[in-house]
Amino acid sequence: MDGKLLARLGAVVFVAIAITATAIEMTRKEGAPAEEPARLADPVRDPLREAQRRCQQLGQSAASDTDCMRVWAETRDRFLGRAPAPTAPPQNQGQ
């Protein structure tokens, strides 16, 4: 057998296998899904997320905004799994 005849025979075999696989796949019956897909609940209002959006809208001026600095620190702590830093109690002046 020369190379051309062998290549043609291989191509015919490949096409026959592809047609057979397609026919088998097309005759396969689809079963109904076992359960209904889960529905997403209404998202819970997250004040941190809202503050992040506000800081995002401020743009470059957010870098000097104290509220945005606090929001970014809280976001960083939440991401890293750290407890928020304790705030110092107000000191009584003049007692």
Side-chain angles (χ1 to χ4, degrees):
M1 284 189 167
D2 64 332
K4 283 185 175 182
L5 184 60
L6 191 58
R8 286 181 185 167
L9 184 60
V12 169
V13 169
F14 176 76
V15 170
I17 291 173
I19 290 172
T20 304
T22 303
I24 290 171
E25 188 64 32
M26 289 178 70
T27 59
R28 184 178 293 178
K29 294 189 182 203
E30 295 279 332
E35 59 187 57
E36 189 174 313
R39 294 183 183 194
L40 296 177
D42 291 332
V44 178
R45 185 178 161 269
D46 185 9
L48 181 64
R49 182 76 171 168
E50 291 172 5
Q52 288 171 340
R53 290 283 184 210
R54 186 187 69 79
C55 291
Q56 181 183 25
Q57 291 171 351
L58 285 177
Q60 193 68 19
S61 62
S64 61
D65 186 42
T66 56
D67 287 334
C68 289
M69 298 301 273
R70 180 192 52 78
V71 167
W72 290 332
E74 188 176 340
T75 302
R76 183 177 51 249
D77 288 343
R78 184 187 286 187
F79 177 77
L80 295 174
R82 292 190 243 163
T87 57
Q91 296 186 7
N92 294 335
Q93 296 179 6
Q95 281 190 355

